[in-house]
Amino acid sequence: MEKVLKIYKEYFLLSHGLVLILFLINLLFELKSNNKEVIFLTIYLFLILTFFSVLEFVKYEVIRPKKIKSVLEESFIESIKINKQKIKNNYLLNIYDYDIIIEPEWERFQKKLNFNFRVLFDPLSLDRTISKEEYVKFNDAENHKYFFQLNCLVLSLNENQFNKLNKKSFISEIKLMTELLVLKKLNPITYKNWILSYAKMEELESKYLDKLYS
């Protein structure tokens, strides 16, 4: 029941709410002469918006997960047999002592599938969190390829770039990322410990970004 309510809220509530508001506005103005027409138009609009909501639901909840699963099963990931586990839709690997998350990303606003490689590091490696100035400096230096967050180094690839990788090229890419972290003295952390501070680091990074773009 909870899942059904969540789906309804995400895909149908807005459109149905819009229809209800329009219907109530018509009732409020007491358009009696066009009452049957109003009811007909309301039902018509309700059906049309419900149809498009169903399409959106099928696209995002049915088609996209199958597509992601298919791409992953045909990728280099299947050739990696050790130090690998699946966490929901993501894969967790351990390479060069660092935990790495392979994260498919295909949100409703995104037209195409992307993949993020997150090499996790201890956000307190420097005996404190990375400062706003360091955050900017790290990303200015590496903006051609990687993105520094406060607890991981991220490489984002589109589907075509991801499909071109094989096991060897993937490990080579991860090696470059881990070497960069070692150079900046950002130490490995286990996924189990990393997730404990994830929300806090995400909130702090959001504050940095607000200050930078305000």
Side-chain angles (χ1 to χ4, degrees):
M1 188 63 174
E2 184 179 343
K3 185 176 181 181
V4 172
L5 289 174
K6 182 180 178 182
I7 290 172
Y8 180 80
K9 182 179 179 181
E10 187 167 354
Y11 294 96
F12 299 92
L13 182 61
L14 181 61
S15 58
H16 289 177
L18 177 62
V19 172
L20 178 62
I21 290 171
L22 292 174
F23 180 69
L24 291 175
I25 288 173
N26 278 285
L27 288 180
L28 183 64
F29 285 96
E30 296 181 349
L31 301 178
K32 295 181 180 179
S33 59
N34 295 319
N35 202 32
K36 290 184 179 179
E37 183 179 344
V38 168
I39 293 174
F40 173 78
L41 289 174
T42 301
I43 293 173
Y44 178 76
L45 184 60
F46 174 84
L47 293 175
I48 289 295
L49 291 179
T50 298
F51 173 74
F52 283 110
S53 295
V54 169
L55 286 182
E56 185 72 7
F57 168 77
V58 171
K59 179 181 178 182
Y60 187 65
E61 299 291 341
V62 179
I63 296 176
R64 286 188 175 189
K66 287 185 177 180
K67 169 70 173 178
I68 292 171
K69 182 179 179 182
S70 174
V71 172
L72 288 172
E73 287 178 346
E74 295 174 6
S75 73
F76 65 88
I77 295 175
E78 291 301 305
S79 65
I80 299 176
K81 304 298 182 183
I82 59 173
N83 296 327
K84 179 180 75 173
Q85 58 179 299
K86 194 169 184 182
I87 302 176
K88 294 184 178 180
N89 294 322
N90 303 331
Y91 281 94
L92 177 65
L93 310 174
N94 185 274
I95 302 174
Y96 300 116
D97 295 325
Y98 282 86
D99 276 5
I100 296 106
I101 298 174
I102 299 177
E103 174 189 61
E105 183 183 55
W106 200 353
E107 301 297 335
R108 290 175 69 180
F109 61 86
Q110 293 175 304
K111 292 183 178 180
K112 294 184 179 181
L113 172 62
N114 292 314
F115 291 88
N116 296 320
F117 297 161
R118 298 183 182 274
V119 183
L120 313 185
F121 62 80
D122 184 351
L124 299 178
S125 293
L126 306 176
D127 295 325
R128 54 175 173 77
T129 55
I130 293 172
S131 68
K132 178 168 66 70
E133 290 71 26
E134 289 168 325
Y135 175 77
V136 172
K137 183 179 179 181
F138 286 172
N139 281 304
D140 281 348
E142 306 301 332
N143 59 11
H144 60 286
K145 193 167 186 178
Y146 307 126
F147 179 67
F148 264 99
Q149 294 188 293
L150 298 183
N151 55 4
C152 62
L153 181 63
V154 184
L155 171 64
S156 294
L157 301 176
N158 60 39
E159 184 181 344
N160 289 334
Q161 292 171 321
F162 180 81
N163 286 334
K164 289 178 181 178
L165 290 175
N166 54 37
K167 181 179 178 181
K168 183 178 180 181
S169 58
F170 166 71
I171 292 177
S172 296
E173 190 66 66
I174 295 300
K175 183 180 180 182
L176 292 174
M177 297 175 76
T178 57
E179 287 175 345
L180 179 58
L181 293 180
V182 170
L183 183 64
K184 296 186 181 296
K185 298 180 180 180
L186 298 171
N187 304 323
I189 188 173
T190 64
Y191 173 79
K192 184 178 179 180
N193 290 329
W194 180 83
I195 203 69
L196 293 176
S197 63
Y198 175 80
K200 183 179 179 180
M201 291 302 105
E202 191 175 51
E203 182 182 357
L204 180 59
E205 184 171 358
S206 179
K207 290 180 180 178
Y208 285 177
L209 292 171
D210 287 343
K211 289 180 180 178
L212 289 170
Y213 294 105
S214 60

